[in-house]
Amino acid sequence: MRALLISTYDLGRQPLGLASPAGRLRRAGVDVECVDTSRQPLEDAQIAGAALIAFYLPMHTATRLAGPLLDRVRQLNPDATVVAYGLYAPLNRQWLNDRGVRHVLGPEDEAALAALACGADGAGDEEGAPPGGRRAAGVRPDRSGLPPLAEYAALQMPDGTRRVAGSTDATRGCKHLCRHCPIVPVYHGRFRAIAIHDVIADVHAQVAQGAQHISFGDPDFLNGPTHARRLVEQLHDAFPSLTYDVTIKISHLLQHRHLLPMLRETGCLFITSAVESVDDAVLEKLRKGHTRKDFEQALTLCREAGVTLSPTFVAFTPWTTPGSYLDLLDAIRALDLVEQVAPIQLAIRLLVTAESPLLELDDVRAVVGSFDAGSLTWPWLHGDSVVDALHRDVTRIVAAGASTPRADVFAAIAERACALVGRPAPPPVKRRGVRPPMLTEPWYCCAEPVESHL
């Protein structure tokens, strides 16, 4: 059988979600072709020649981008077995079925995908089955046939030079239950560590492609702190000049503060953390497990350890007010974070996706409309039209400032927000002498601005 694996978008990274099942399928003797449509065209002949066509859907944007391609597949190859897999596949099962997808698999169902490719038509597709244990140890990703790493997001260093960046995962799932996170309704608080030798083998393959930096895609790198420590120590022994970045919750930065110097010594350049808000009431509604004070303490700990903390935010929520938005901007300025916060973070609007735990909240149910199959969300309007107008303005400023220094974009956003509430414009942001290291495609998958990448 010939299988075609398709990724539409994966945060500007070479998609592990294609490489991982490709390794298993090729081991089973399946002829596999991988296409990343964020970097490659998808040809009609590729669609027409495949018996099995599988879409990797790790996030909301990727799922929406798959819609037109699913229609195209149905027109060009109606006899193909069409599969969707990844985090967002089970969350959008009915939408996918309506578009001709016969099998909907979870984020770790490589074995079921291989069985389908080998002719077992009823394999997998276990609705509601918890992930875990389905990806056998020793079946390593196969990145052959994917675009080279140099075509993906790079690491930009403080001096302006760029390094080729790869990416991989050390764990799957997450043991936390943040209400806005799409991982929660799929993993239900579970996580699983990937064998260290398999992770290092994948990194080795990317270093052979030229990778000088690795971005770990784990929702929380310290879900398993002992596993994380052993991994980065072995990784540093194998590749002493390799740098990396990770994502870690604020609560884990505090709980495992003793590990921060070790992370820096083994090559960690920066830590992304989903701070989301500086309003404790909003943090409680999102079930983040930290407070504003905790965030400020974690920032201090990272700076003392010599590791950059890059916070992400969900700036627009049903609870945002013009005053709280200005408070967020004031906090970013006061904490000297202007250069460490990607401007897109100031335009992020809370997504209420299918099966979102946010729907547990009365004040969320009160503002959402009917589920919209076009956007794959429960759309909501803020009770204060000024906030929605501010969101539109900030989104335009961020889009127009894609190649503008962060400090200038921040200043434009602050000026607009102050004008809306009649507050004097703030003083100019003082430019820091050294910019922090950052990826050239700064993104975060738990919430996205409306119409991004579409």
Side-chain angles (χ1 to χ4, degrees), residues 60-182:
H60 182 256
T61 297
T63 309
R64 291 189 64 183
L65 289 172
L69 296 181
L70 285 167
D71 294 339
R72 190 173 156 205
V73 164
R74 188 165 49 188
Q75 292 173 356
L76 292 172
N77 192 349
D79 295 328
T81 297
V82 183
V83 182
Y85 66 100
L87 186 67
Y88 267 77
L91 295 179
N92 295 284
R93 180 181 301 272
Q94 188 58 56
W95 182 84
L96 291 165
N97 289 158
D98 291 344
R99 279 150 187 80
V101 175
R102 290 180 57 188
H103 300 277
V104 177
L105 307 177
E108 295 190 57
D109 281 341
E110 286 99 333
L113 183 58
L116 287 168
C118 293
D121 188 64
D125 207 9
E126 303 172 59
E127 184 167 3
R134 298 175 183 171
R135 181 182 175 210
V139 181
R140 293 170 181 168
D142 184 345
R143 297 176 179 270
S144 59
L146 287 169
L149 291 176
E151 294 186 13
Y152 289 91
L155 176 74
Q156 183 165 301
M157 294 299 289
D159 63 2
T161 60
R162 292 191 177 190
R163 296 181 182 176
V164 176
S167 62
T168 195
D169 293 345
T171 59
R172 298 286 183 91
C174 186
K175 66 182 182 181
H176 297 281
L177 300 171
C178 304
R179 276 199 175 96
H180 64 310
C181 181

Side-chain angles (χ1 to χ4, degrees), residues 209-223:
Q209 288 189 41
Q212 301 163 294
H213 178 88
I214 293 293
S215 185
F216 283 97
D218 310 50
D220 191 325
F221 194 66
L222 292 185
N223 268 323

Side-chain angles (χ1 to χ4, degrees), residues 60-61 64 316 344 347-351 372 375 377 379-380 388 391-392 395-396 399 443 447-454:
H60 182 256
T61 297
R64 291 189 64 183
F316 290 91
I344 190 64
I348 295 288
R349 181 181 173 92
L350 185 68
L351 280 179
D372 176 28
S375 65
T377 65
W380 58 273
D388 283 335
H391 174 251
R392 291 191 293 270
T395 301
R396 283 194 291 268
W443 207 253
E448 303 162 56
V450 176
E451 301 303 324
S452 61
H453 292 274
L454 294 174

Side-chain angles (χ1 to χ4, degrees), residues 93-288:
R93 180 181 301 272
Q94 188 58 56
W95 182 84
L96 291 165
N97 289 158
D98 291 344
R99 279 150 187 80
V101 175
R102 290 180 57 188
H103 300 277
V104 177
L105 307 177
E108 295 190 57
D109 281 341
E110 286 99 333
L113 183 58
L116 287 168
C118 293
D121 188 64
D125 207 9
E126 303 172 59
E127 184 167 3
R134 298 175 183 171
R135 181 182 175 210
V139 181
R140 293 170 181 168
D142 184 345
R143 297 176 179 270
S144 59
L146 287 169
L149 291 176
E151 294 186 13
Y152 289 91
L155 176 74
Q156 183 165 301
M157 294 299 289
D159 63 2
T161 60
R162 292 191 177 190
R163 296 181 182 176
V164 176
S167 62
T168 195
D169 293 345
T171 59
R172 298 286 183 91
C174 186
K175 66 182 182 181
H176 297 281
L177 300 171
C178 304
R179 276 199 175 96
H180 64 310
C181 181
I183 297 169
V184 173
V186 176
Y187 277 89
H188 305 288
R190 301 176 180 90
F191 87 101
R192 181 178 66 81
I194 299 172
I196 288 176
H197 55 81
D198 286 344
V199 179
I200 291 180
D202 186 35
V203 172
H204 188 280
Q206 294 179 79
V207 170
Q209 288 189 41
Q212 301 163 294
H213 178 88
I214 293 293
S215 185
F216 283 97
D218 310 50
D220 191 325
F221 194 66
L222 292 185
N223 268 323
T226 300
H227 176 264
R229 177 182 57 77
R230 290 172 178 168
L231 169 60
V232 296
E233 287 177 344
Q234 292 182 38
L235 194 65
H236 185 63
D237 287 343
F239 309 103
S241 63
L242 189 72
T243 58
Y244 66 90
D245 69 89
V246 295
T247 297
I248 302 175
K249 281 178 66 71
I250 291 297
S251 58
H252 278 172
L253 291 173
L254 298 181
Q255 181 181 356
H256 305 295
R257 64 187 69 190
H258 62 286
L259 294 178
L260 290 175
M262 180 276 301
L263 292 175
R264 179 68 186 95
E265 291 163 6
T266 55
C268 183
L269 292 184
F270 64 93
I271 296 170
T272 300
S273 192
V275 176
E276 313 302 47
S277 178
V278 294
D279 184 324
D280 285 349
V282 174
L283 291 169
E284 185 175 353
K285 288 181 181 293
L286 296 180
R287 204 158 52 195
K288 285 301 302 176

Side-chain angles (χ1 to χ4, degrees), residues 38-56:
S38 75
R39 298 296 188 273
Q40 302 167 289
L42 177 61
E43 305 293 347
D44 289 353
Q46 294 172 308
I47 296 172
L52 180 142
I53 301 174
F55 286 83
Y56 171 51

Side-chain angles (χ1 to χ4, degrees), residues 358-444:
L358 287 165
L359 295 168
E360 299 168 355
L361 300 174
D362 291 340
D363 40 3
V364 170
R365 292 197 302 272
V367 298
V368 298
S370 300
F371 186 79
D372 176 28
S375 65
L376 297 178
T377 65
W378 295 86
W380 58 273
L381 290 174
H382 199 282
D384 184 350
S385 60
V386 172
V387 175
D388 283 335
L390 178 59
H391 174 251
R392 291 191 293 270
D393 290 347
V394 171
T395 301
R396 283 194 291 268
I397 292 169
V398 171
S403 58
T404 304
R406 287 184 173 184
D408 293 345
V409 179
F410 180 90
I413 291 171
E415 183 177 353
R416 180 58 185 149
C418 287
L420 273 177
V421 300
R423 193 169 109 174
V429 177
K430 292 183 180 179
R431 296 183 183 275
R432 294 176 57 184
V434 179
R435 297 179 65 188
M438 64 186 74
L439 293 171
T440 56
E441 191 160 348
W443 207 253
Y444 199 69

